[in-house]
Amino acid sequence: MADKTQEPGGIHFPFPFTPYPIQKDFMAALYQVLEAGKIGIFESPTGTGKSLSLICGALSWLRDFEQKKRQEEARLLEAEATAAPLSNGKDPLLLPLASQGTLGPPKDPAEPDWVTQFVQKKEERDLVDRLKEEQVRRRKREERLQQIRHNAQLKYAAKRMRQEDEETERLLDLSREMLAAGSEPEQLASEEEELVLAEYESDEEKRKASGADEDEDDLEEEHVTKIYYCSRTHSQLAQFVHEVQRSPFGKDTRLVSLGSRQNLCVNDDVRKLGSVQLINDRCVDMQRSRRAKKSIAEEAKPRRRKQEQRTACPFYSHERLQLLRDEVLVGAKDIEQLVALGKEARACPYYGSRFAIPAAQLVVLPYQMVLHAATRQAAGIRLQGQVVLVDEAHNLMDTITGIHSVEVSGSQLCQAHSQLLQYMERYGKRLKAKNLMYIKQILYLLEKFVAVLGGNVKQNPNTQSLSQAGTELKTINDFLFQSQIDNINLFKVQRYCEKSMISRKLLGFTERYGAVLASPREQPRLAGFQHFLQSLQPGVTEAPAAPVEEEEAGAPRPASPLMHIEGFLAALTTANQDGRVILSRQGSLSQSSLKFLLLNPAVHFAQVVKECRAVVIAGGTMQPVSDFREQLLACAGVEAERVVEFSCGHVIPPDNILPLVICSGPANQQLEFTYQKRELPQMMDETGRILCNLCNVVPGGVVCFFPSYEYQRQVHAHWDRSGLLARLAVRKKIFQEPKRANQVEQVLKEYSRCIKCGQAEGMVTGALLLSVVGGKMSEGINFSDSLGRCVVMVGMPYPNIRSAELQEKMAYLDQTLPRAPGQAAPGKALVENLCMKAVNQSIGRAIRHQKDFASIVLLDQRYARPPILAKLPAWIRDRVEVKATFGPAFAALRKFHREKCGSS
């Protein structure tokens, strides 16, 4: 039964059970941030019900906001009906409407009063008309959704429509077969011709032929105030949707899940293309073909069935999309449920979910779709006046940097140049002058990009050896000057690529020449072109051109390299101070690359915070928060007073956690895993001895994190030679984190099975999992209860300080951000913060619910430094015990686990 929690301010938060006190505080703070239109940084440890707090807090605010808005609309309409003035110009309730541009600018003192009154009355009439229209639309939508909720027959309307379409198509095929099997039609007398039925086309078919079959105006609605909930992965989004379904808001909230075409497409012919870019391009081509008018000549041409399937998507139908859109809005559905619904209705889930966005109250989507402006626009996402909640936001800045950083290889540059040159040679006489001009400019850019790496576009990149190797870092302007392309307007070239869709044309051209059978006269020339294209693919030997069916059945074909290079060209239009270009020369041209590195993620986040009513970035471990304040929000132009921080403790009792910093091992070896010392044999031996002692007193599972895969491999090999590995194996079965993602699930299953079987048989052992910070096990994996009774951090996972990218980022921050008195330089603080973010994510794998317990062991004396301790999560930081020697640390661990195992 849902519990209704009332805060001192009179706010009701429906909740599926009695919330924890920290959840009440979380919801109240979230409500105030949304109400005041601020930017919130919220930290709530995993296991404290953060998702439910976000759902119930945010949707409670939206419920109250919509209620206030309707009350204000009713007041305005009532005032209009009684001919009373709507406003004296000072009514605070009209301020939101004025901010949306509904009410005009303040009175100009030079204007006569009658002009001002006329303008004001007109604006008031327009406002009332708009409110009336909105009420009608809302009423229609609510009636439609209520019908679907309560009328089971409507839910199967799409299925009936699909069956009718299939039956019609079957009968048409039979008719065509009969006509094809018959003899030549009998010649009729002129007076009999008029008795013969003319070719029939229904109104719907005529609309399809003219490209107006889908009246998409019916599918578009006014955008209502909504909440965009973003997270990192589809599994996290699906988990959030399931929480909404179980919450008191589950039945009444209009929720839409968004995803890519690759996740949502239900057309098997398109899905099997594999590549995200190829799927996108095929879908766009199908929509363009659907809208384009068919000429009489095209109608007369006989076409193969396979070609007909490629011209229009059978899942894009106006009526079925309407039904799917409404079905999506009726109940909360995750991506998998949306796909299943689309298959049943034979309607496209990708477009169906997009058409449901305007009327939705809660939109659930990967945060890449919100953080990238072009993707937002393509998906129909409008942020003006809306609320954005970014969950799992600990790596938000890295995500923004990654989305807008682009790398192109020498092989891709040469391949794109060759393909575009062949395209121009074949169709040059049919192109307009401007097209030719821009194609020549793109060819020139590609040639210069290869030249700046030290190569030549006319030679095979695999066999070109570069005279100099190494990495060179340039500002954008310096790179443009060195490449001799500073005289070309890249903004115009970028706009041309977008409008002309040259990369898609080029993809179609290369597909045709690679897969379509040519006439005997053309075959030698096409074979030569195919051979040349294959010679540019690294590691690919000569092979005959494969038919489309065979090619699609195999591995996904790569998208056009020019599509990828367009992203690099767009990145070069970034302001000079916000990015750098890295020239990486690696011996051969094909292995060398040009990479654009974004230094200032705030430049892309600024548009989000500027447009939105409120933004909340939340996570289980948001420390150190200073990064978000200084590097992201302050640089995005957010005033300090608009930022609100909220951090809560854990729901577990304080004595259910034992965090220890151990400064030396059993042999009194000082623990400091610096790059210079960590590979010393005595350091690796001491680490092994500590783990042997821990495995003797810790029941169940022990998860040990190393700074890198390479160091984990070195330590494992050393223990194997010294016999420490055999000693460890006596107490715990040893598992290692695999490098391949597809092997992670199997390792976790074996690890879990070993622990559960050991407990069932009364054994003391369990398992030891050797993992890597920043690897597959350090984020998103749940080591609750006996799966993670102890988490061990070996050393501090500092990033590679020698990295040219990191050094440039540090220099950028030192130049951009002010240095606070008594604080480290911004560049040095960045390195420490990156390290501690990785630590916090790893140790957060244990303690997943209120009754869980675990010990956390930090093996490095540097953890004892106050600036480092301050960057641990508050619920751990307040309990940390620093042990200078190993004896007291071991005694504390043994006592903790004996007491906890006895009580449990």
Side-chain angles (χ1 to χ4, degrees):
M1 185 176 175
D3 178 80
K4 278 204 168 184
T5 304
Q6 184 167 1
E7 294 303 313
I11 306 166
H12 293 276
F13 295 107
F15 217 74
F17 50 80
T18 303
Y20 303 129
I22 60 173
Q23 288 179 310
K24 294 181 183 179
D25 295 340
F26 187 106
M27 291 186 289
L30 177 64
Y31 191 103
Q32 293 305 320
V33 165
L34 303 187
E35 183 68 14
K38 298 201 171 185
I39 310 297
I41 304 174
F42 279 63
E43 182 180 51
S44 181
T46 304
T48 57
K50 170 168 57 70
S51 294
L52 263 179
S53 301
L54 280 169
I55 292 165
C56 296
L59 291 178
S60 294
W61 171 82
L62 186 62
R63 170 204 63 198
D64 294 347
F65 177 83
E66 289 179 344
Q67 186 177 354
K68 289 176 190 173
K69 187 179 175 184
R70 291 189 185 191
Q71 289 172 350
E72 175 58 19
E73 287 177 3
R75 190 188 72 79
L76 292 173
L77 292 173
E78 184 181 353
E80 189 267 344
T82 57
L86 295 183
S87 168
N88 58 6
K90 298 179 181 179
D91 190 341
L93 289 173
L94 286 178
L95 291 179
L97 296 171
S99 67
Q100 295 171 15
T102 307
L103 301 181
K107 175 184 181 301
D108 185 346
E111 282 184 350
D113 288 342
W114 69 269
V115 174
T116 305
Q117 290 172 6
F118 175 80
V119 171
Q120 185 175 344
K121 284 182 179 178
K122 184 179 185 305
E123 288 173 350
E124 290 174 353
R125 283 196 303 272
D126 291 344
L127 171 59
V128 169
D129 291 342
R130 189 178 67 80
L131 293 178
K132 287 179 178 177
E133 289 174 9
E134 193 173 311
Q135 276 192 339
V136 170
R137 278 197 301 268
R138 184 168 61 234
R139 188 162 53 248
K140 282 183 179 178
R141 179 176 64 238
E142 288 171 354
E143 288 173 357
R144 199 172 64 236
L145 297 183
Q146 280 296 105
Q147 276 186 318
I148 292 178
R149 283 192 182 98
H150 301 298
N151 188 344
Q153 291 180 345
L154 279 175
K155 292 187 178 181
Y156 300 103
K159 186 175 181 181
R160 290 201 309 274
M161 193 181 299
R162 181 193 69 201
Q163 291 170 343
E164 289 172 8
D165 289 348
E166 288 174 350
E167 179 64 13
T168 302
E169 186 61 31
R170 188 182 70 82
L171 292 173
L172 278 172
D173 285 341
L174 285 173
S175 301
R176 292 188 191 108
E177 288 171 10
M178 288 172 61
L179 288 170
S183 57
E184 287 295 319
E186 180 185 354
Q187 294 294 324
L188 299 176
S190 57
E191 62 271 13
E192 287 185 279
E193 288 285 356
E194 60 186 28
L195 299 176
V196 179
L197 288 169
E199 180 68 24
Y200 173 74
E201 280 187 329
S202 67
D203 291 340
E204 184 182 84
E205 288 167 332
K206 287 178 181 177
R207 287 200 304 272
K208 285 183 179 179
S210 66
D213 57 322
E214 269 78 22
D215 184 8
E216 292 179 7
D217 290 341
D218 291 346
L219 293 167
E220 283 290 349
E221 291 191 42
E222 192 76 20
H223 280 245
V224 303
T225 301
K226 59 177 58 59
I227 295 166
Y228 287 98
Y229 172 86
C230 323
S231 194
R232 191 173 61 90
T233 65
H234 282 290
S235 61
Q236 289 166 340
L237 294 171
Q239 186 178 347
F240 178 82
V241 173
H242 297 156
E243 291 280 0
V244 174
Q245 291 169 342
R246 290 192 289 266
S247 78
F249 294 92
K251 292 181 179 178
D252 300 322
T253 301
R254 301 190 300 275
L255 181 148
V256 175
S257 295
L258 297 185
S260 64
R261 285 182 175 90
Q262 190 178 37
N263 292 114
L264 288 171
C265 180
V266 290
N267 186 329
D268 291 335
D269 289 335
V270 178
R271 283 177 61 85
K272 67 183 180 184
L273 295 174
S275 160
V276 180
Q277 193 65 58
L278 289 175
I279 290 173
N280 288 344
D281 292 330
R282 180 63 56 81
C283 179
V284 170
D285 286 341
M286 282 180 161
Q287 304 318 313
R288 197 181 301 116
S289 298
R290 181 180 56 83
R291 296 186 182 98
K293 287 187 176 183
K294 299 173 184 176
S295 66
I296 297 173
E298 286 176 331
E299 289 290 343
K301 287 180 184 176
R303 291 181 301 171
R304 292 181 299 171
R305 184 169 181 79
K306 186 169 185 67
Q307 288 176 324
E308 287 176 356
Q309 290 174 343
R310 289 183 61 169
T311 56
C313 182
F315 294 90
Y316 195 106
S317 156
H318 167 60
E319 292 84 358
R320 290 200 292 265
L321 279 175
Q322 268 190 315
L323 286 165
L324 181 63
R325 175 199 63 186
D326 294 342
E327 194 73 51
V328 166
L329 292 170
V330 165
K333 298 172 184 65
D334 63 20
I335 292 292
E336 285 73 22
Q337 292 166 330
L338 195 56
V339 168
L341 190 64
K343 286 180 178 177
E344 183 185 358
R346 281 191 66 82
C348 176
Y350 176 76
Y351 283 102
S353 59
R354 281 179 58 181
F355 290 133
I357 292 174
Q361 296 168 304
L362 179 59
V363 179
V364 179
L365 69 168
Y367 51 45
Q368 291 86 341
M369 292 182 75
V370 167
L371 300 173
H372 193 264
T375 308
R376 281 201 305 272
Q377 185 178 359
I381 295 168
R382 300 178 191 174
L383 297 183
Q384 191 67 46
Q386 310 292 15
V387 170
V388 168
L389 306 180
V390 183
D391 201 0
E392 302 298 332
H394 54 273
N395 58 358
L396 179 60
M397 286 182 290
D398 293 338
T399 301
I400 298 173
T401 302
I403 291 172
H404 297 91
S405 296
V406 189
E407 185 171 14
V408 293
S409 67
S411 180
Q412 287 174 318
L413 293 167
C414 288
Q415 193 176 2
H417 185 276
S418 169
Q419 291 177 1
L420 192 57
L421 187 63
Q422 295 278 344
Y423 179 87
M424 187 181 73
E425 289 175 353
R426 181 165 183 84
Y427 301 118
K429 292 180 180 178
R430 302 182 62 182
L431 297 175
K432 301 291 184 183
K434 272 200 172 181
N435 276 318
L436 273 176
M437 179 194 76
Y438 278 113
I439 288 175
K440 286 179 179 179
Q441 280 192 339
I442 296 170
L443 287 169
Y444 178 77
L445 289 170
L446 295 172
E447 186 179 339
K448 290 301 180 183
F449 288 157
V450 171
V452 82
L453 286 172
N456 189 327
V457 290
K458 296 179 181 178
Q459 299 174 17
N460 190 324
N462 295 319
T463 57
Q464 284 190 66
S465 298
L466 305 183
S467 56
Q468 55 178 348
T471 301
E472 194 178 354
L473 198 140
K474 298 279 184 184
T475 66
I476 298 174
N477 287 346
D478 287 346
F479 173 75
L480 298 179
F481 283 123
Q482 185 177 339
S483 304
Q484 300 175 357
I485 59 172
D486 53 295
N487 59 327
I488 292 180
N489 188 328
L490 293 178
F491 289 94
K492 286 187 174 182
V493 174
Q494 181 195 359
R495 199 176 306 118
Y496 171 77
C497 290
E498 289 175 1
K499 298 294 182 184
S500 68
M501 299 185 182
I502 178 65
S503 58
R504 290 191 178 124
K505 301 285 186 185
L506 193 59
L507 177 62
F509 171 71
T510 52
E511 277 188 330
R512 174 179 175 80
Y513 274 68
V516 177
L517 296 175
S519 63
R521 184 181 58 185
E522 289 182 313
Q523 277 195 9
R525 181 159 54 86
L526 297 182
F529 174 56
Q530 183 72 5
H531 173 77
F532 183 70
L533 289 184
Q534 286 174 344
S535 72
L536 297 178
Q537 294 278 4
V540 177
T541 55
E542 181 179 351
V548 174
E549 291 81 3
E550 292 178 14
E551 197 172 58
E552 288 177 350
R557 289 169 290 164
S560 164
L562 186 59
M563 293 176 185
H564 195 59
I565 293 163
E566 282 179 6
F568 183 70
L569 291 174
L572 291 179
T573 62
T574 305
N576 186 57
Q577 70 272 17
D578 292 333
R580 298 290 183 270
V581 179
I582 301 171
L583 289 74
S584 176
R585 301 181 179 94
Q586 303 295 331
S588 73
L589 178 60
S590 62
Q591 295 172 326
S592 301
S593 65
L594 299 174
K595 180 177 181 179
F596 173 81
L597 172 67
L598 180 69
L599 294 178
N600 182 17
V603 73
H604 294 285
F605 197 63
Q607 190 177 358
V608 175
V609 295
K610 181 182 177 183
E611 292 184 8
C612 290
R613 173 196 176 93
V615 177
V616 173
I617 51 180
T621 51
M622 297 296 288
Q623 295 294 333
V625 175
S626 58
D627 280 5
F628 296 98
R629 272 189 168 277
E630 296 165 9
Q631 295 180 39
L632 193 62
L633 299 179
C635 291
V638 179
E639 302 85 358
E641 56 271 16
R642 196 185 170 200
V643 181
V644 175
E645 289 182 30
F646 175 87
S647 181
C648 62
H650 214 296
V651 293
I652 61 165
D655 58 353
N656 273 23
I657 181 175
L658 179 64
L660 296 175
V661 174
I662 301 181
C663 300
S664 62
N668 292 323
Q669 171 70 46
Q670 288 294 310
L671 300 177
E672 189 169 353
F673 292 86
T674 60
Y675 193 76
Q676 295 79 14
K677 295 180 181 179
R678 68 184 187 183
E679 294 180 12
L680 295 174
Q682 57 267 36
M683 193 68 77
M684 292 190 276
D685 287 337
E686 195 77 323
T687 306
R689 285 190 285 266
I690 292 171
L691 278 177
C692 282
N693 280 281
L694 290 180
C695 289
N696 282 331
V697 298
V698 177
V702 176
V703 185
C704 180
F705 286 99
F706 290 86
S708 67
Y709 283 105
E710 178 58 25
Y711 187 57
Q712 181 205 330
R713 187 194 62 77
Q714 287 180 354
V715 171
H716 189 274
H718 179 80
W719 288 348
D720 194 20
R721 292 191 299 269
S722 67
L724 269 165
L725 201 62
R727 285 173 56 192
L728 277 169
V730 171
R731 307 305 303 168
K732 305 276 186 192
K733 184 168 182 181
I734 300 171
F735 294 88
Q736 290 190 78
E737 177 178 325
K739 280 194 174 183
R740 292 186 177 180
N742 60 0
Q743 297 174 342
V744 170
E745 193 65 32
Q746 184 61 33
V747 171
L748 286 173
K749 276 184 182 177
E750 288 295 318
Y751 172 77
S752 177
R753 188 188 62 80
C754 178
I755 291 169
K756 288 174 182 175
C757 290
Q759 286 181 336
E761 296 167 14
M763 297 169 64
V764 194
T765 53
L768 169 65
L769 178 59
L770 305 179
S771 305
V772 176
V773 175
K776 319 290 186 308
M777 310 288 192
S778 66
E779 188 174 341
I781 303 294
N782 186 348
F783 292 110
S784 62
D785 298 318
S786 59
L787 296 181
R789 288 301 181 205
C790 181
V791 175
V792 182
M793 292 294 305
V794 177
M796 298 185 71
Y798 278 105
N800 180 11
I801 197 71
R802 298 171 185 167
S803 159
E805 295 182 22
L806 182 58
Q807 287 185 349
E808 193 63 25
K809 181 77 173 177
M810 290 169 65
Y812 171 80
L813 293 177
D814 286 338
Q815 294 168 9
T816 307
L817 299 180
R819 181 172 180 172
Q823 299 292 323
K828 185 181 177 184
L830 169 71
V831 176
E832 283 187 355
N833 291 349
L834 288 172
C835 169
M836 292 311 295
K837 278 182 182 177
V839 169
N840 292 342
Q841 278 303 305
S842 298
I843 61 181
R845 298 309 91 214
I847 308 288
R848 311 295 287 188
H849 57 84
Q850 188 179 20
K851 295 182 180 179
D852 206 355
F853 66 89
S855 54
I856 295 168
V857 179
L858 307 174
L859 298 182
D860 200 308
Q861 63 183 4
R862 292 175 291 177
Y863 282 112
R865 298 173 185 170
I868 299 298
L869 282 174
K871 290 173 181 172
L872 288 168
W875 63 280
I876 294 175
R877 181 174 64 236
D878 298 340
R879 299 281 301 161
V880 169
E881 299 177 22
V882 177
K883 304 293 185 182
T885 56
F886 184 72
F890 181 71
L893 280 163
R894 181 169 53 191
K895 180 184 177 185
F896 174 80
H897 285 285
R898 276 183 180 173
E899 289 177 353
K900 289 301 163 190
C901 289
S903 63
S904 62

